[in-house]
Amino acid sequence: MARILPEAPVAVDLEDPTLYLNRELSWLEFNGRVLELAADAAQPLLERVKFAAIYAKNLDEFFMVRVAGLIDHVDRGSIPSDGQPPRPTLTAISERVREQEEELERVLHDELLPQLAEADIRILPLHECTAEERLRLSEMFRDQIFPVLTPLAVGPGRPFPYISNLSLSLGVRVVDPHTGEQRFARVKVPEVLPRFLWVERGRRFVALEDLIADNLDALFPGMEFEEHATFRVTRDADFDISDEEDDLLGAVEQQLSRRRFGDVVRVEVEAGMSEEMRRTIVAGLRVDADQVYPVRPPLDLADLFPISNLDRPDLRYRPWSPRTQPRLRSGEDEPVDVFAAIRAGDILVHHPYDAFSTSVEQFVEQAVDDPDVLAIKQTLYRTSGDSPIVPALMRAAEQGKQAVVMVEVTARFDEEKNIRWARSLERAGVHVVHGLVGIKTHCKLALVIRREGNETRRYVHIGTGNYHPSTARLYTDLGLFTCREDVTADVSDLFNHLTGFARPRSYRRLFVAPVDLRDRIVREIRRAVAEHDADNPSRVVMKLNALVDRPVIEELYRASQAGVRVDLIIRGICCLRPGVDGVSENIRVVSVLGRFLEHSRIFRFETHSKTTTYIGSADMMPRNLNGRIEVVTPVDDP
């Protein structure tokens, strides 16, 4: 009897564009999941308000960077690196954003604001204030708000005013009752004042723009008012630094000064604004009609953050108290010797469950105070004003220790803060490196060199998150402490590359971008495929913020085709399309959003011969793998 051979699998072209989800639309679905949290009645009320504010802030940055980039491609007649024409993508973005904004308005007006009112927190229209409250608000306007305002009329000899990025404006149509002359004027809602003014502290608020609108006669005395409505402008805020710049710090400062003058990419207008006023604004800003988004007021819901932070424990998550990692906990009141604990074995910390203050901060502070420590080297991508790490590094320099800090001055939207930190550190005597031109330093590394007897020993911390105590309480991140020579020597070599002129050809244990990180991840996926069979199945697990890189996605498709189970936990963008017969039916993708922002990156490759696990700073995106210094480290200790 002839044996029936199985049919040969049909060859699939893995470069087929239908196998890949659009990067921008995938990001919008991520932000839509943030919006779902705002709509989730199971979340505490003020946390839902916070998620609405996060959604709005995220969308601002998306337009400032991603939409601005697509518009630039349209203007230049070029195609983005993903090969997808920009104009259809812009159309799809516009349609999806309008759907999400409609849902946001429903959630805000039908659920959040009424429920806040039930909880005795009200954002009031002025006519609902008492006579006494109206009088107090009028005095506040006269004394604190009116002096800051500058009405700008449009007309002969008065061109349409410049509208700065993300500023909220009040558009006004005024009429001179004597001549009948009509004018459009713009009043900027000042950013230096609170957006929501308390009428009764912590309970009753009015919007700043409503109070300004109620007092327009003070700004335009003798005029009659036909209409007033709010609008808001979003501009291109991205910039590139030439690879030939000698002064990186100066180049960044110069570009920052230009950011507020970027091209307009979005105009939000108050729903109900007259067609005449809308035409005036569109013509004045020189935008297309599809860049205009009608919004039911209030506009700019990112300004809801102060409301979400009100002192109402009954409407918030229960406070989270991180613990000290058991290996870093002493039985007495004295802090544990961090270096002795690391010598006893690698330590893994998981924030915010493990405290940042008693792990990472303690590591740096003990290094500063330890007379046997000779040098401290650290990367800073983002940090905050309440961080003890920066003052500790300054103390180290003052004590004569070699303190070296790599400050990434091109960290998007944190450039100005990082320039200030860099200058403060330099004034204290710290050796500061401002980053490499053309490539961002995104890795999270701290290296301590300590004299022990007649030798020196290196201790390192390698993390997935920034050295930022505030986000360490809000983001889930991992950090590895080790003094193993194979890892610490790699970290030392990398710092020499960042601060000097060295360029290591390879690293012992670390995966480093742009050197070999992609290649080594691909090699691990291929190992899982090579060792997979029915009796000894392999498995690949990746937890990332984003999966965009085509070569990595193609390798995951090949692993699925070979029968390897692939589990992906992708918080944000995922361009891989799961569940496609013959390509990705063995791939499952989930996204986890909730109280804490999932930020850790973990890679796990399970085969019958060995299981390898890695953590690091890199997402699987071309920008991370080609244009950033990223580090992924093995976690060997079970």
Side-chain angles (χ1 to χ4, degrees):
M1 186 181 203
R3 185 165 65 92
I4 300 175
L5 296 174
E7 292 184 13
V10 178
V12 177
D13 179 11
L14 296 183
E15 295 186 3
D16 181 350
T18 63
L19 295 178
Y20 301 87
L21 298 170
N22 180 277
R23 180 198 195 283
E24 319 304 348
L25 300 181
S26 178
W27 184 91
L28 283 177
E29 294 313 308
F30 151 70
N31 208 33
R33 295 191 289 278
V34 177
L35 179 54
E36 286 176 14
L37 287 168
D40 183 0
Q43 303 292 325
L45 180 56
L46 288 181
E47 305 297 345
R48 295 174 65 189
V49 174
K50 178 193 70 178
F51 284 120
I54 291 171
Y55 165 87
K57 186 173 185 293
N58 285 349
L59 195 62
D60 286 345
E61 294 187 5
F62 177 72
F63 271 89
M64 287 190 288
V65 177
R66 301 306 307 180
V67 173
L70 289 170
I71 292 172
D72 188 49
H73 279 293
V74 170
D75 293 342
R76 290 189 283 116
S78 56
I79 299 294
S81 58
D82 63 4
Q84 301 188 38
R87 198 174 290 281
T89 300
L90 285 169
T91 300
I93 288 171
S94 178
E95 292 173 355
R96 188 68 182 109
V97 167
R98 292 175 200 279
E99 291 171 358
Q100 290 181 346
E101 292 286 270
E102 188 175 317
E103 171 65 5
L104 177 62
E105 289 176 17
R106 185 197 67 77
V107 170
L108 179 69
H109 291 280
D110 294 353
E111 298 181 20
L112 299 184
L113 292 179
Q115 290 177 32
L116 285 170
E118 290 174 10
D120 203 22
I121 300 171
R122 292 174 173 84
I123 300 175
L124 301 169
L126 282 168
H127 66 80
E128 291 187 14
C129 295
T130 66
E132 182 183 348
E133 290 168 342
R134 291 288 296 269
L135 179 61
R136 191 166 68 246
L137 287 168
S138 294
E139 291 172 352
M140 182 189 299
F141 177 83
R142 184 190 64 219
D143 297 338
Q144 300 176 32
I145 300 170
F146 177 73
V148 182
L149 301 178
T150 303
L152 296 171
V154 177
R158 295 183 177 184
F160 195 90
Y162 174 79
I163 312 291
S164 57
N165 187 32
L166 299 184
S167 62
L168 183 65
S169 297
L170 200 63
V172 186
R173 286 202 299 137
V174 299
V175 179
D176 186 330
H178 299 294
T179 65
E181 182 183 6
Q182 295 184 348
R183 287 285 181 91
F184 170 84
R186 176 256 185 162
V187 181
K188 180 176 180 177
V189 178
E191 298 161 350
V192 294
L193 297 173
R195 172 72 184 286
F196 295 102
L197 306 166
W198 60 269
V199 179
E200 184 179 356
R201 189 181 292 276
R203 295 176 62 188
R204 290 156 62 85
F205 301 85
V206 296
L208 177 56
E209 62 270 24
D210 288 350
L211 185 56
I212 295 171
D214 197 51
N215 289 273
L216 285 175
D217 54 343
L219 292 166
F220 304 93
M223 295 293 109
E224 294 178 352
F225 304 100
E226 290 197 339
E227 177 188 10
H228 62 77
T230 49
F231 68 99
R232 183 170 180 261
V233 169
T234 310
R235 293 181 177 273
D236 181 349
D238 205 13
F239 60 75
D240 293 314
I241 303 295
S242 168
D243 292 347
E244 299 178 0
E245 288 288 353
D246 293 325
D247 178 10
L248 180 60
L249 201 64
V252 172
E253 288 181 311
Q254 188 177 44
Q255 290 291 337
L256 284 174
S257 68
R258 296 174 182 169
R259 175 177 274 171
R260 60 189 296 270
F261 299 105
D263 293 337
V264 177
V265 296
R266 176 182 60 165
V267 181
E268 297 164 277
V269 299
E270 181 175 326
M273 176 186 286
S274 70
E275 194 59 39
E276 181 178 347
M277 182 181 286
R278 185 190 291 202
R279 281 198 302 268
T280 300
I281 292 170
V282 167
L285 293 170
R286 299 176 183 174
V287 293
D288 297 330
D290 60 1
Q291 293 176 280
V292 179
Y293 292 80
V295 177
R296 183 178 174 187
L299 280 62
D300 190 7
L301 295 187
D303 283 343
L304 288 174
F305 278 115
I307 302 289
S308 74
N309 290 327
L310 288 173
D311 186 18
R312 287 289 300 270
D314 56 317
L315 304 178
R316 307 278 299 275
Y317 291 128
R318 291 177 59 189
W320 174 257
S321 298
R323 66 169 192 170
T324 295
Q325 210 275 357
R327 296 262 315 280
L328 297 174
R329 191 186 307 151
S330 67
E332 304 157 2
D333 292 337
E334 292 296 317
V336 72
D337 182 339
V338 174
F339 301 115
I342 297 171
R343 286 195 299 275
D346 292 356
I347 300 173
L348 190 75
V349 289
H350 190 192
H351 311 301
Y353 312 105
D354 295 322
F356 187 78
S357 58
T358 57
S359 55
V360 177
E361 288 178 3
Q362 186 165 272
F363 175 68
V364 175
E365 290 181 326
Q366 280 196 14
V368 171
D369 296 332
D370 187 338
D372 289 324
V373 167
L374 306 175
I376 305 169
K377 302 183 181 184
Q378 189 161 357
T379 61
L380 285 180
Y381 190 75
R382 301 187 201 277
T383 189
S384 65
D386 62 345
S387 171
I389 289 176
V390 171
L393 293 168
M394 293 177 180
R395 289 203 325 272
E398 290 163 358
Q399 293 172 12
K401 291 180 168 66
Q402 186 182 54
V404 180
V405 181
M406 165 74 227
V407 179
E408 181 47 72
V409 295
T410 63
R412 185 177 286 145
F413 302 123
D414 272 339
E415 299 94 344
E416 292 181 70
K417 290 181 188 174
N418 285 6
I419 288 171
R420 287 198 299 271
W421 290 126
R423 290 198 165 128
S424 297
L425 288 161
E426 284 177 321
R427 284 194 294 270
V430 176
H431 299 292
V432 177
V433 180
H434 299 139
L436 304 175
V437 176
I439 190 165
K440 287 186 180 180
T441 304
H442 190 247
C443 53
K444 325 298 181 183
L445 303 173
L447 168 67
V448 172
I449 296 97
R450 188 171 186 269
R451 179 177 48 230
E452 297 180 358
N454 296 323
E455 299 179 348
T456 59
R457 190 192 300 265
R458 292 176 284 211
Y459 297 82
V460 302
H461 169 266
I462 303 173
T464 68
N466 299 305
Y467 293 103
H468 195 306
S470 298
T471 57
R473 294 189 287 269
L474 301 172
Y475 293 10
T476 67
D477 272 306
L478 293 165
L480 177 72
F481 294 97
T482 186
C483 60
R484 290 186 4 243
E485 183 60 23
D486 54 351
V487 173
T488 61
D490 276 352
V491 173
S492 187
D493 287 348
L494 181 54
F495 269 109
N496 289 340
H497 169 50
L498 294 175
T499 62
F501 200 61
R503 188 180 296 278
R505 294 177 183 173
S506 63
Y507 292 86
R508 302 160 187 80
R509 298 300 310 283
L510 299 184
F511 298 3
V512 178
V515 180
D516 62 0
L517 198 158
R518 179 191 285 111
D519 291 344
R520 293 177 80 162
I521 291 292
V522 165
R523 199 179 307 160
E524 284 284 65
I525 297 171
R526 289 177 177 174
R527 180 179 68 81
V529 171
E531 298 186 22
H532 173 81
D533 59 46
D535 296 327
N536 299 288
S538 298
R539 182 173 178 234
V540 173
V541 185
M542 291 187 183
K543 181 179 183 295
L544 303 165
N545 296 335
L547 175 60
V548 176
D549 190 66
R550 282 284 185 95
V552 172
I553 293 174
E554 287 182 12
E555 290 301 326
L556 293 172
Y557 281 155
R558 293 187 183 100
S560 172
Q561 290 174 321
V564 174
R565 179 181 164 196
V566 178
D567 286 309
L568 302 173
I569 306 117
I570 313 295
R571 187 194 80 210
I573 306 165
C574 180
C575 293
L576 180 148
R577 191 184 292 276
V580 178
D581 289 344
V583 178
S584 57
E585 66 267 42
N586 292 310
I587 301 178
R588 182 180 67 148
V589 184
V590 299
S591 175
V592 179
L593 277 80
R595 174 174 182 170
F596 300 124
L597 182 78
E598 295 295 327
H599 194 251
S600 55
R601 292 87 162 185
I602 310 171
F603 308 83
R604 188 171 177 88
F605 306 94
E606 302 174 8
T607 71
H608 67 88
S609 67
K610 65 176 178 177
T611 294
T612 54
T613 306
Y614 305 86
I615 66 168
S617 59
D619 289 305
M620 295 295 98
M621 304 177 74
R623 75 178 189 193
N624 297 82
L625 300 173
N626 302 332
R628 290 184 174 186
I629 304 289
E630 303 275 13
V631 167
V632 168
T633 183
V635 180
D636 294 328
D637 190 322

